[in-house]
Structures are given as structure tokens and as C-alpha cells.
């Protein structure tokens, strides 16, 4: 929460720089004061924590304990005290709205601000046993051109599905609990979604069809969350990535948004020779450069598909033309980006790069934490490297945070190419140099053929990593 002008800054005591604050946050000390549990905090409860030695404040619906941040605040503790015990959103926006406070205060999150004045559920929801206000809390705000709903769920990485049934009727499903909102007036589709998975915060922005301020967002009602196994998706665009790998951009037939977290997958199903064939695929959106691969919106799904000689579904997908349909399941998988890690080591072979791409994107653009990423990408030859140009561009842009190392198993007639076989010695030689004093800050992801995965797991176990330190995509 650094102030926006030089004249507002104060001289900080030695040992109280931003880097010192980051080190304190990574030290394992509880900066929340509540044991790291996410609480629902009322305004009256927030008001009790209004002392320098017990200082809470709320910004945009999230409550932070800033007691230990006082002496680290570039504007001085007195400046910060102006907002403690209150919803300091307005004060924050007036002074330094540009600051990435979510990153600075990520280890100070107490929980969600329960604001009954901004959002009052109708009596039917208050008394209903089917849908409790404790399932998730919601706030809303608007400007002339849009309105935003902000949901505060109870768990990290919530399951999120949104469907616009009619221009003025939208269904939000969070962790299997659904609410239908009949909006005051119609909105456009698609919506714009921002999710802070670590704290379970979901923000949905809807563009109004007609400019103007609404007296209310509308009304809330209970709806049954009918589980759908598969949704139809239409192929919008396709591009060749390598000689046998295609990038496919699909759009849900309905006005639907399903959030897919990094490392999660969907099942793709198609009817081939009269039989249903399905396989898991990891979506790669929003990795691609939208200026090169078309207009990628929230209600689309992007896949990288390699056509295998004996792969019925892969050959079918690579043969699709614009306007053809497939069916796609809801997002699945158990991978969660580590909140306790700061260094990610990704080891991929061939199409095993697909789950790594969203992980790389998330690590480079996370509003919560600054990650360093090392990618070991194994292929037979250079022409097989999927999205090499993209990876090279990203590693050049984020040279201090992203390192990409290509390992080739077949010799090519190009000067400087690797001439190594992918075995234990090759992977070990290319493995990043580790800081032995901070081994617990490393997280490893592995994805490739079964034999490759087994070999990599053996190597990282030999280096002292435990089961909680790595994840193997099957």
C-alpha cells in the first residue's frame, strides 16, 4: 500500500524495506492473527480492530490484518491508521488505487467483509433450508456501462460455472450451489471473470446493453443446480502449431462459462463410426497471443491436439472444420497451484507441455505471489517443439523469472542443436541448480509418457523432494 507520490513517503527503519516485508511473509509467521483461517467479518467486528496493535481494514470486500505491516508502509503507520477498523476501499482508491495491494498483503488476509447493507437477500433465501446465505456471500457495484458481482466462497479454488439463460437472467453456480439472478435490465454476453483462487474470491463483470445506473441489480431466487455431464462446443478456428499438432478454438453452444484452473482438464467426447469416444485434454486458454490466434473470450475453450497415427479421437479432432461440434465435460482434476512455493520446476515431454502452459501463465501473472519458473522441455527434434516461438518470447520478456531449456533426443543438422538422448543423466544435467537452504520453496510438475514420468520421479526423489513437493499429470 505504497502511496502514489514521493512527498507522502517516510523514511523507513533499517530492515523494513519491501524485500524485508516479503521475507517476513515467507517466514511462516502468522500475519493474519487468526491462524490463517478465512473468516466472515461483519462491519461491527471490523470496527473492534481499530488500534495500532490490533489493526484490521477492508479493501474491496477482503479484510486484512495490517498490524505488522505498519512499520513497512512507505506512507508511514499514521497514514495506514486512517483506514483501520473500517472499509477503507474509498480511501485506498483516492490515494493509491494503482498499487497491487493483493500481492503486498497476501499473507495478511483475515477473510471476507460481510456487508448486509450492500447486499440483502430476499426473505425466501434467508429462511430457505436449500440455499443458505452461508453458502457464499455476495456484493455488487456498478458504473454506467457495467455492473460487477463479487462472490466470497468458503474454499480455495472454487468450482465456478456461469450461464446466461436470458438477456436479463443469469445463473451462478459456485461449488455446486446455484443462485439465479433476474437482472434489472438486459446485459451482453460474454461476461468477464476474475478469480483469486487462493482466497476463493470470484468477480464477474457484466456489460449493460444500455448505459445507465440501475436502482438495484435485480432479484435473487433459488434454482436447482442441474448437473450436466457434457456441453456442446462449436469449432470456431484452428491453426497448425507443428506438422502434427493443432490449436483448436471452441465456443460453447450455450451462453456458458466454466472456469478451468491451471493443471485441470476436461473430457472431450465425439461420435466416431457410430461410437462415443472420449479422452481427457488440458485446455490451454488464455496462453495464446490473441492477436495471432483470434478473439479469445470467456465462453471459449482452447485445446492443443497432437494427431497420433492410432489415435481415433486425436485424428478426428484434427480433421474438424469450422462449424463442427464436439462435447466437453465440466472441468476436473485435483491439481492446485502451491501457495507455499515460490520456485516452480516444470518437466515436460512432447504434448506433456499442455498442462504446463496455463501454469506458466498463472505464475507470471499471479496477483498474489511472484513465482520463478524453470521449464525442461524434452522432444525428439526441434521441429517437434510445440509453441517454441511463444516460449522463447515469454522467456525473453520474463528473463529473470522464466528459464526454458530444450532437450532433444535426435540429432539434427543445425549448428548448436542438442545431440543428447533423454535419459537420467541428461535430465539430471539440465536440472536447475537448487538452493539447499530453501528446498521447501520448490514445487515440481511432471508430464509425459509413463516411462518418462517414472524416470523424472526417481530423479527428484533422489534429490530429496517429498510427495507433497511434486505433482505428476497422468
Amino acid at each position: 500500500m505504497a502511496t502514489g507520490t514521493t512527498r507522502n513517503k517516510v523514511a523507513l527503519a533499517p530492515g523494513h524495506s519491501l524485500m524485508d516485508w516479503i521475507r517476513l511473509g515467507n517466514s511462516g509467521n502468522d500475519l493474519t492473527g487468526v491462524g490463517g483461517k478465512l473468516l466472515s467479518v461483519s462491519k461491527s467486528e471490523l470496527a473492534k480492530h481499530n488500534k495500532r496493535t490490533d489493526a484490521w481494514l477492508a479493501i474491496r470486500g477482503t479484510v486484512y490484518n495490517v498490524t505488522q505491516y505498519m512499520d513497512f508502509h512507505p506512507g508511514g503507520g499514521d497514514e495506514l491508521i486512517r483506514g483501520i477498523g473500517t472499509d477503507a476501499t474509498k480511501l485506498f482508491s483516492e490515494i493509491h488505487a494503482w498499487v497491487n495491494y493483493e500481492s503486498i498483503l497476501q499473507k495478511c488476509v483475515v477473510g471476507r467483509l460481510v456487508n448486509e447493507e450492500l447486499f440483502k437477500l430476499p426473505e425466501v433465501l434467508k429462511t430457505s433450508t436449500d440455499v443458505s446465505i452461508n453458502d457464499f456471500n455476495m456484493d455488487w457495484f456498478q458504473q454506467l456501462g457495467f455492473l460487477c458481482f463479487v462472490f466470497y466462497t468458503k474454499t480455495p479454488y472454487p468450482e465456478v460455472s456461469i450461464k446466461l439463460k436470458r438477456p436479463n437472467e443469469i445463473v451462478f453456480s459456485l461449488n455446486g450451489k446455484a443462485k439465479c439472478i433476474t437482472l434489472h435490465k438486459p446485459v451482453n454476453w460474454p461476461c468477464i471473470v476474475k478469480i483469486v483462487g487462493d482466497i476463493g474470491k470470484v468477480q464477474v463483470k457484466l456489460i449493460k446493453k444500455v448505459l445507465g445506473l440501475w436502482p438495484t441489480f435485480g432479484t435473487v431466487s433459488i434454482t436447482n443446480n442441474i448437473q450436466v455431464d457434457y456441453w456442446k462446443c462449436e469449432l470456431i478456428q484452428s491453426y497448425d502449431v507443428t506438422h502434427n499438432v493443432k490449436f483448436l478454438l471452441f465456443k460453447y453452444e450455450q451462453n456458458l462459462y466454466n472456469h478451468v484452473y491451471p493443471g485441470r482438464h476436461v473430457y472431450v467426447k465425439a461420435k466416431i463410426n457410430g461410437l462415443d469416444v472420449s479422452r481427457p485434454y488440458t485446455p490451454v486458454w488464455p496462453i495464446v497471443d490473441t492477436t495471432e490466434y483470434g478473439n479469445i473470450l470467456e465462453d471459449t475453450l482452447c485445446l492443443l491436439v497432437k494427431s497420433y497415427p492410432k489415435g481415433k479421437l486425436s485424428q478426428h479432432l484434427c480433421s474438424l472444420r469450422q462449424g463442427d461440434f464436439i462435447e466437453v465435460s465440466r472441468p476436473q482434476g485435483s491439481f492446485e497451484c502451491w501457495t507455499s512455493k515460490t520456485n516452480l520446476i516444470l518437466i515436460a515431454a512432447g504434448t506433456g507441455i499442455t498442462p504446463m502452459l496455463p501454469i506458466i501463465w498463472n505464475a507470471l501473472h499471479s496477483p498474489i505471489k511472484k513465482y520463478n519458473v524453470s521449464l525442461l522441455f524434452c522432444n525428439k527434434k526441434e521441429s517437434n517443439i510445440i509453441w517454441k516461438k511463444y516460449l522463447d518470447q515469454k522467456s525473453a520478456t520474463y528473463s529473470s523469472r522464466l528459464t526454458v531449456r530444450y532437450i532433444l533426443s535426435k540429432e539434427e543438422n543445425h549448428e548448436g542443436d542438442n545431440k543428447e538422448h533423454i535419459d537420467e543423466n541428461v535430465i539430471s544435467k539440465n536440472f536447475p541448480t537448487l538452493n539447499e537452504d530453501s528446498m521447501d520453496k520448490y514445487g515440481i510438475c511432471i508430464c509425459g509418457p509413463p516411462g518418462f514420468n517414472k524416470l523424472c520421479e526417481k530423479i527428484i526423489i533422489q534429490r530429496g523432494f517429498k510427495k507433497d513437493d511434486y505433482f505428476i499429470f497422468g
Side-chain angles (χ1 to χ4, degrees):
M1 296 209 358
T3 53
T5 58
T6 303
R7 59 184 173 85
N8 288 331
K9 292 188 176 181
V10 299
L12 298 175
H16 289 81
S17 68
L18 176 59
M19 290 307 299
D20 291 318
W21 173 250
I22 293 173
R23 279 192 285 269
L24 178 61
N26 292 331
S27 67
N29 292 337
D30 176 23
L31 303 184
T32 69
V34 294
K37 297 179 180 179
L38 288 178
L39 307 179
S40 294
V41 182
S42 66
K43 285 191 172 181
S44 58
E45 177 63 26
L46 176 64
K48 297 176 183 178
H49 303 271
N50 62 351
K51 304 178 183 65
R52 190 182 186 97
T53 55
D54 180 20
W56 293 9
L57 57 76
I59 303 176
R60 294 172 187 159
T62 300
V63 178
Y64 300 92
N65 185 342
V66 296
T67 306
Q68 297 198 51
Y69 184 61
M70 288 285 182
D71 295 333
F72 292 85
H73 185 230
D78 292 340
E79 183 75 13
L80 204 59
I81 286 175
R82 294 173 56 195
I84 64 174
T86 71
D87 183 346
T89 302
K90 183 178 180 181
L91 178 64
F92 173 83
S93 299
E94 289 174 350
I95 298 176
H96 36 20
W98 57 273
V99 173
N100 187 356
Y101 68 94
E102 288 180 315
S103 176
I104 295 174
L105 300 178
Q106 59 176 300
K107 297 300 180 64
C108 302
V109 176
V110 174
R112 301 162 296 276
L113 180 65
V114 180
N115 190 345
E116 295 86 359
E117 294 178 3
L118 286 178
F119 175 59
K120 293 184 179 180
L121 291 171
E123 291 300 320
V124 64
L125 286 185
K126 289 184 179 179
T127 59
S128 169
T129 57
D130 294 329
V131 178
S132 165
I133 62 172
N134 292 327
D135 291 334
F136 48 82
N137 297 104
M138 184 189 90
D139 287 334
W140 76 286
F141 60 92
Q142 64 170 319
Q143 291 187 12
L144 287 172
F146 67 87
L147 76 156
C148 280
F149 293 101
V150 184
F151 300 97
Y152 309 97
T153 66
K154 287 185 169 298
T155 57
Y157 300 96
E159 182 179 335
V160 179
S161 182
I162 303 167
K163 181 179 179 181
L164 187 71
K165 297 179 67 175
R166 298 180 183 86
N168 69 331
E169 185 178 352
I170 191 165
V171 175
F172 297 94
S173 179
L174 307 178
N175 288 332
K177 304 292 184 180
K179 289 186 176 80
C180 178
I181 296 181
T182 301
L183 300 167
H184 179 67
K185 288 186 178 181
V187 295
N188 294 312
W189 185 262
C191 56
I192 301 170
V193 182
K194 178 182 178 182
I195 297 177
V196 184
D198 297 29
I199 60 175
K201 179 181 176 182
V202 180
Q203 179 174 299
V204 182
K205 182 178 181 180
L206 298 168
I207 307 301
K208 298 175 180 177
K209 281 188 176 290
V210 179
L211 293 177
L213 293 178
W214 298 359
T216 176
F217 64 83
T219 59
V220 181
S221 61
I222 304 167
T223 182
N224 292 325
N225 188 32
I226 301 175
Q227 180 64 51
V228 177
D229 293 328
Y230 284 87
W231 289 271
K232 288 185 70 175
C233 289
E234 179 185 0
L235 180 63
I236 304 300
Q237 294 172 327
S238 66
Y239 301 91
D240 291 328
V241 179
T242 68
H243 69 285
N244 61 353
V245 176
K246 281 185 176 288
F247 168 82
L248 305 175
L249 174 62
F250 294 92
K251 183 181 185 301
Y252 284 101
E253 183 182 40
Q254 302 175 347
N255 292 330
L256 179 72
Y257 168 82
N258 279 327
H259 186 73
V260 185
Y261 290 102
R264 304 287 178 91
H265 62 273
V266 298
Y267 276 87
V268 175
K269 182 171 69 173
K271 193 171 287 294
I272 303 174
N273 297 327
L275 298 175
D276 285 334
V277 180
S278 66
R279 295 287 186 274
Y281 281 91
T282 304
V284 294
W285 177 92
I287 282 297
V288 297
D289 183 346
T290 56
T291 61
E292 181 179 356
Y293 291 96
N295 188 18
I296 297 174
L297 301 173
E298 304 280 16
D299 58 349
T300 57
L301 190 77
C302 305
L303 301 178
L304 274 179
V305 180
K306 180 178 180 179
S307 179
Y308 290 94
K310 296 183 180 180
K312 292 182 179 180
L313 185 58
S314 66
Q315 288 189 9
H316 174 79
L317 293 175
C318 289
S319 69
L320 292 178
R321 297 186 177 184
Q322 185 174 344
D324 289 340
F325 284 88
I326 61 170
E327 293 184 82
V328 176
S329 76
R330 65 182 180 84
Q332 301 179 48
S334 59
F335 176 77
E336 293 183 1
C337 293
W338 294 282
T339 57
S340 60
K341 309 296 185 181
T342 54
N343 299 284
L344 303 182
I345 301 173
L346 313 179
I347 311 175
T351 53
I353 190 65
T354 52
M356 308 304 184
L357 294 173
I359 293 172
I360 293 172
W361 177 271
N362 182 73
L364 296 179
H365 298 84
S366 172
I368 300 296
K369 181 176 290 187
K370 185 176 182 179
Y371 294 92
N372 298 312
V373 183
S374 295
L375 171 65
L376 303 185
F377 193 9
C378 305
N379 289 274
K380 290 184 178 179
K381 50 188 179 180
E382 186 172 358
S383 58
N384 295 134
I385 300 176
I386 299 171
W387 266 342
K388 183 178 186 299
K389 179 181 177 181
Y390 167 82
L391 292 169
D392 289 342
Q393 289 173 344
K394 284 296 178 185
S395 61
T397 303
Y398 298 90
S399 57
S400 63
R401 297 176 54 200
L402 173 62
T403 302
V404 179
R405 172 67 170 165
Y406 303 109
I407 304 175
L408 306 178
S409 62
K410 285 191 175 180
E411 180 178 340
E412 290 189 301
N413 295 320
H414 297 288
E415 185 177 354
D417 280 343
N418 266 309
K419 297 182 175 66
E420 302 167 331
H421 295 282
I422 299 174
D423 55 21
E424 183 173 346
N425 291 332
V426 171
I427 295 176
S428 295
K429 189 179 78 172
N430 288 280
F431 206 84
T433 301
L434 305 179
N435 183 349
E436 300 296 335
D437 295 331
S438 58
M439 285 285 288
D440 59 333
K441 299 301 180 182
Y442 290 89
I444 302 176
C445 294
I446 301 169
C447 189
F452 176 85
N453 293 346
K454 187 175 181 180
L455 173 63
C456 292
E457 183 177 22
K458 174 186 174 183
I459 293 171
I460 63 176
I461 290 175
Q462 289 174 346
R463 291 176 178 264
F465 289 100
K466 299 178 175 60
K467 189 64 178 177
D468 291 341
D469 298 327
Y470 65 91
F471 189 94
I472 300 176
F473 293 96

